[in-house]
Amino acid sequence: MSVEGSKAPVSTRVLTVPNVLSALRLVGVPVFLWAIVTEHDVLALVLLMASGLTDYLDGKIARMYGLESRLGQLLDPVADRLYIASTLLGLAWRDILPWWVVVVLFAREAFMGVVVLIAKRHGWLGLPVHFAGKAATFNLLYAFPLLLLADGDSTFARVAEPVGWGFAWWGIVLYWFSGLLYAVQLRRLLAHERAVAA
C-alpha cells in the first residue's frame, strides 16, 4: 500500500483549468452560505449544482490532460469540505436537516483529522484518495439540493424528500466507511514501518 509521496510526481503548476475551477468553487462558498441562510434558494441551488459539476470536471480534466498538481490536491478536498460544512450548517439552521446529521458528519471530519495528523507525524504527506470518499461526496452533494427542494408542500417537494434522504444516507455511510478505510490503511502502513525498522 503506497502513500501519496511515493506516487508518480505531480505538477507544481498553479494556473491550470482544474485549479481555476477549484478556486471558483472556494469563492462561491461564502455566497452560497449567505444564500441558504437568507433563503435565496434559487441562488443556493444554482451554486450547489455548479459546485457538483465543477467538482466532477476538475478531476476529469486533470486526469485526462495530465494537469494534476499539488495545489489541486489541496484545493479540491478543501472546497468539498467547505461546501459540505456550509450546507450542513445552513440546512440545520433552517430546520431542514436535523442537527444529529451535522454532528455525525463533523465527527467523521474530526476522526480524519486525527488519521491525517498521525500520518504526517510519520512523514507521509497523505493517504491515497479512495473511491468510497469520492462516492460519499457525490451522494452528499446530490442529497443537499434535493433536501432543500423538499422544503415545501408541493408534489415535487414530497418526491424530492425521500430521494434526498436516500442520497443522504448513502453519503453518511460511505463518508464513515471511507474514513475507516483510511484508518485501516494507516494501520497497515504503521505495521509495515515497524517491520522494516525491526
Side-chain angles (χ1 to χ4, degrees):
M1 191 115 14
S2 63
V3 293
E4 191 178 81
S6 63
K7 288 183 173 182
V10 294
S11 171
T12 56
R13 290 175 62 191
V14 173
L15 193 58
T16 65
V17 172
N19 288 352
V20 169
L21 290 174
S22 293
L24 286 173
R25 289 168 62 213
L26 281 172
V27 169
V29 169
V31 182
F32 167 74
L33 188 55
W34 170 83
I36 198 168
V37 169
T38 57
E39 300 189 21
H40 288 79
D41 291 349
V42 174
L43 177 58
L45 284 167
V46 168
L47 288 170
L48 257 185
M49 289 187 288
S51 171
L53 179 62
T54 53
D55 183 36
Y56 169 77
L57 287 176
D58 65 17
K60 186 82 171 175
I61 293 170
R63 289 186 296 273
M64 186 177 293
Y65 296 101
L67 295 173
E68 293 169 307
S69 67
R70 292 291 178 198
L71 181 61
Q73 290 176 342
L74 173 68
L75 289 179
D76 188 52
V78 167
D80 284 345
R81 282 165 175 76
L82 284 175
Y83 264 101
I84 289 172
S86 58
T87 308
L88 281 171
L89 292 172
L91 292 178
W93 179 267
R94 288 179 52 183
D95 292 324
I96 295 172
L97 202 64
W99 281 99
W100 67 261
V101 174
V102 179
V103 172
V104 167
L105 292 178
F106 275 36
R108 189 270 190 185
E109 287 303 308
F111 175 77
M112 277 305 300
V114 173
V115 171
V116 170
L117 183 62
I118 294 171
K120 285 184 176 178
R121 286 185 63 184
H122 287 265
W124 300 318
L125 293 177
L127 300 167
V129 174
H130 285 294
F131 173 75
K134 295 301 288 182
T137 301
F138 171 86
N139 276 277
L140 290 173
L141 288 178
Y142 268 81
F144 295 149
L146 285 167
L147 292 174
L148 185 57
L149 286 169
D151 185 34
D153 299 318
S154 67
T155 301
F156 184 80
R158 288 194 292 272
V159 172
E161 185 174 16
V163 176
W165 273 108
F167 276 113
W169 274 110
W170 272 108
I172 291 167
V173 170
L174 286 171
Y175 215 48
W176 267 101
F177 178 67
S178 66
L180 294 174
L181 283 178
Y182 283 120
V184 169
Q185 188 173 25
L186 177 62
R187 185 172 177 272
R188 288 176 180 171
L189 288 169
L190 291 172
H192 177 71
E193 187 180 74
R194 285 193 294 269
V196 170

